[in-house]
Amino acid sequence: MSASAPVRPGGRVTEGKRPPHGPRRVRGLAGGVLLLVGALLLPLSLVALWARAELTETDSYVAAVAPLAGNAAVQEAVVDDVTAGVMAHVRLDGLLKAVPRAERPAVRRHFTRGIRQFVAQQVRQVVTGSGFPAVWNGVHRTAHRTLDGRLAASGRSAVTLDLTPVVERVKRQLSHNGMGLDILRRVPRAGVEIVLLKGPDVPRIRAVYEVVRTGALLLPPVAALCLTGGLLLARRRRRALIGAGLGCAAAAGLLAAALALARSRTLDALPAMVSRPAAGAYADALTGPLRTGVWLVIGAGTLTAALAAAGPPALRALRARRLAARTGDGP
């Protein structure tokens, strides 16, 4: 028994002389809590920064979707959408007046199939042509600016992807073909569009947009402060650093799993008319920067934990080797 802890007659240590472990324990507990909060906030910060960039930065969005102009699945989906939009305005009643009424259904199907194949062939030539990437980027730039305006203002107007520039290119291509020009002339200026965001969904997305903007400003510095504060308050810095690295890597791994699950469920919930390969290519292109950031956090966290775990023993082993070498060379 130490001299600083006198014993009462009953054999118990005097309360006033016990070592002051309370503040140290509270400090260690606070450091652990801060490290846990920082590890959880780090992947959320990545999501907030990514969402803010996709929703507010048109150049970032266009750069993300630009490679899709050369994706075969996306090209085929554009061909199908444009062809369907054109065919919705094709009327064959005038051509069928001279056909007996009983034969009109069969003749209509034959003509419709032939015209659809003709229009799809012309649209495919435009979509696979060298000038399509510029049209593609322009279409998406306009759509994103419209989305940004809808989110910044009030109202419930839908956001669409206007594919009419593709039709205009097909029109110019068919300017020498009377039949093709007559077909495409029937298509109104805004007749070929894909709805990206329905009007009733705009207020909900606007609310998410406000949360994302706030989160992108607050979450990264809060996560950094929590991690830094946790390391400074930790009683055993090396163990805290190992725990922080592994915690950040684990949280980022959970985010990667959540992204994969969300992608799968979103594609499964799409209507049958939507191309799964094209939608998957869109999802991968849009979430590419986020997935890259997630894997960087996983790698950095794992590497930090590994270096922290191996650092002091490795230094001691190196010093021991140097000392042994000197001792061996001394005699």
Side-chain angles (χ1 to χ4, degrees), residues 118 122 171-183 185:
F118 170 77
Q122 305 307 313
K171 283 184 178 182
R172 289 197 294 270
Q173 177 175 304
L174 296 176
S175 58
H176 64 280
N177 189 315
M179 176 183 175
L181 189 60
D182 181 67
I183 293 173
R185 188 182 293 118

Side-chain angles (χ1 to χ4, degrees), residues 87 90-101 103-105 107-112 114-115 179 182-183 186:
M87 293 302 298
V90 173
R91 300 291 182 267
L92 300 176
D93 297 336
L95 297 175
L96 298 177
K97 289 181 179 179
V99 179
R101 186 176 299 274
E103 300 178 8
R104 287 180 183 178
V107 174
R108 180 185 295 275
R109 286 194 298 271
H110 177 73
F111 278 5
T112 301
I115 295 174
M179 176 183 175
D182 181 67
I183 293 173
R186 301 171 183 270

Side-chain angles (χ1 to χ4, degrees), residues 130-175:
S130 59
F132 179 66
V135 177
W136 175 264
N137 292 345
V139 164
H140 281 276
R141 186 176 297 276
T142 301
H144 191 273
R145 287 175 176 171
T146 302
L147 172 64
D148 195 25
R150 295 284 190 275
L151 296 179
S154 58
R156 291 171 171 261
S157 302
V159 179
T160 61
L161 187 67
D162 186 7
L163 297 178
T164 306
V166 180
V167 179
E168 296 300 322
R169 286 226 168 209
V170 176
K171 283 184 178 182
R172 289 197 294 270
Q173 177 175 304
L174 296 176
S175 58

Side-chain angles (χ1 to χ4, degrees), residues 15 60 65 76 80 106-107 134 140 154 174 176-177 200 217 243 260 279 284-285 326:
E15 294 293 333
S60 298
V65 300
E76 197 61 30
D80 293 341
V107 174
H140 281 276
S154 58
L174 296 176
H176 64 280
N177 189 315
L217 293 175
D284 293 340
R326 292 176 182 176

